[in-house]
Amino acid sequence: MRRLRNRLAGALLSVLALTLTATGCGGSSDASSGAGAGPGDAATAEPVANRVEPLAKRPEPELPVTVRSADGAQVEVERAERIVPLSGSLSEIVFTLGLGDRVVARDVTATFEQAAKLPVVTRGHDVSAESVLSLKPDLVIAETTTGPEEAVDQIRAAGVPVLFVEAAGGLDDVGPRIQAVADALGVPAAGKELTRRSEQRIEAVREDVPHGERPRVAFLYLRGSASVYLIGGKGSGAGSLIEAAGAVDAGAASGLEKDFTAITSEALVKAAPDAILVMSKGLESVGGVDGLVKIPGVAQTPAGLDRRIVSIEDGVLLNYGPRTDQVLESVVAQLYGEDGAR
């Protein structure tokens, strides 16, 4: 079942959404959240732009189309005048394709500026079928992690097409996700153009990554208000981003097979990260870097000793979409510093 397969991902997104709600759904972090950090901290790095950059030429949808949903269903899209994307990443793709004026609602994780005034149709991260249907959408676009299933079934039962897109797991998903959305909106050529632009920009950043010994980077998922402290392993979603930055995923390399594992001193010592990657609101929730190094085991790692922290805004870190080049560029800048030193 979809819900069982994605239970962990959904739980993490729920905690993230609650945190974003509590902090006003801001898309960019306050530099003060990194107070006391070392040279790699977000306080010294340019944040990812809080606006998306639409394609220069606005495409005109050619509908109807029939596309295959990630859940196996055939979805016929007859109109796309009123679109509801149910994640920040999917909203970002629709807006960047140039069709943002057709979006009538957003998920709480859609934190970029152009979407900020749209009504939120999620509770925590769970979809409210009543809120969605009240907006009379022509098309709902969802992640395979979207739930609850009952709400999605209710939307479909009302006759609204629901397209599922595979949840992002890494850099290789950027193009396929963009194209899946573009095809459903009847703008396949725009999808190819945006995919090409996104992949070229990512590759340009990768070409500038310093060469030499690869630092070990651990992705920590932190929500101090909910006492959630996790270290990412295989499948955390951060691995390909860390590798693209010329680094080693310390959690996966230390043998952590699960997506996420509760942080312990033993796990951190074994991972031995040279730097720690976090979401900005997560860092803020534990009291900035000063609070982070108080988590058992962190201060004993090379990253903790050097206070070498890489912090990226929650709403974009694992989106793997049109702004991923900016995310990667920020990771590289914070990880190596302006002079490229390791």
Side-chain angles (χ1 to χ4, degrees):
M1 292 176 62
R2 186 172 66 247
R3 180 188 296 171
L4 293 176
R5 290 199 309 268
N6 299 293
R7 182 171 55 188
L8 175 59
L12 291 176
L13 286 169
S14 295
V15 177
L16 168 59
L18 288 170
T19 305
L20 288 170
T21 302
T23 54
C25 295
S28 60
S29 61
D30 188 329
S32 64
S33 67
D41 183 72
T44 63
E46 286 295 324
V48 176
N50 197 33
R51 291 182 59 83
V52 298
E53 179 190 348
L55 293 173
K57 184 178 180 181
R58 186 179 185 279
E60 188 63 36
E62 295 184 7
L63 299 170
V65 296
T66 300
V67 292
R68 186 175 180 83
S69 176
D71 66 343
Q74 292 292 323
V75 178
E76 184 174 357
V77 182
E78 297 181 351
R79 294 171 54 84
E81 301 293 331
R82 300 180 63 80
I83 307 166
V84 177
L86 290 177
S87 77
S89 178
L90 294 173
S91 292
E92 189 174 312
I93 292 172
V94 176
F95 272 84
T96 311
L97 285 169
L99 301 177
D101 60 336
R102 297 168 179 248
V103 177
V104 296
R106 68 180 177 94
D107 175 77
V108 71
T109 59
T111 58
F112 57 93
E113 185 177 318
Q114 292 103 316
K117 294 183 180 180
L118 291 171
V120 177
V121 291
T122 50
R123 298 172 180 145
H125 188 72
D126 287 344
V127 179
S128 167
E130 293 79 8
S131 296
V132 170
L133 292 174
S134 70
L135 295 168
K136 301 184 182 341
D138 301 316
L139 174 66
V140 171
I141 310 175
E143 305 271 0
T144 49
T145 53
T146 298
E149 285 188 71
E150 292 83 355
V152 175
D153 290 343
Q154 185 177 343
I155 294 169
R156 274 182 166 164
V160 178
V162 177
L163 174 77
F164 279 99
V165 177
E166 288 289 352
L171 287 169
D172 290 343
D173 295 323
V174 172
R177 284 166 57 82
I178 289 173
Q179 198 61 53
V181 173
D183 289 347
L185 296 179
V187 290
K192 292 178 182 177
E193 181 183 351
L194 181 56
T195 293
R196 183 168 55 251
R197 187 185 86 175
S198 300
E199 292 179 345
Q200 287 175 346
R201 290 180 176 183
I202 290 170
E203 188 56 34
V205 178
R206 297 182 74 159
E207 290 178 355
D208 288 337
V209 173
H211 297 289
E213 185 178 352
R214 301 170 67 196
R216 295 172 64 88
V217 178
F219 174 41
L220 303 188
Y221 187 94
L222 310 170
R223 288 298 177 259
S225 58
S227 297
V228 175
Y229 309 100
L230 306 173
I231 179 171
K234 291 182 179 179
S236 71
S240 70
L241 187 67
I242 291 171
E243 291 170 4
V248 174
D249 184 341
S254 69
L256 296 178
E257 296 292 332
K258 295 181 180 179
D259 293 355
F260 290 92
T261 302
I263 290 176
T264 63
S265 296
E266 293 77 9
L268 286 171
V269 168
K270 188 174 182 181
D274 299 303
I276 290 172
L277 172 64
V278 292
M279 294 180 178
S280 58
K281 294 300 180 185
L283 182 61
E284 182 180 334
S285 76
V286 297
V289 176
D290 289 336
L292 175 60
V293 296
K294 293 178 182 177
I295 295 175
V298 172
Q300 286 69 51
T301 66
L305 290 169
D306 294 339
R307 300 171 71 89
R308 194 176 180 187
I309 311 301
V310 177
S311 177
I312 302 292
E313 291 88 341
D314 300 46
V316 294
L317 176 57
L318 301 180
N319 269 8
Y320 293 113
R323 286 190 290 171
T324 294
D325 64 296
Q326 298 178 46
V327 173
L328 180 58
E329 185 174 25
S330 184
V331 170
V332 171
Q334 294 179 64
L335 187 57
Y336 303 114
E338 293 182 2
D339 59 359
R342 290 183 182 276

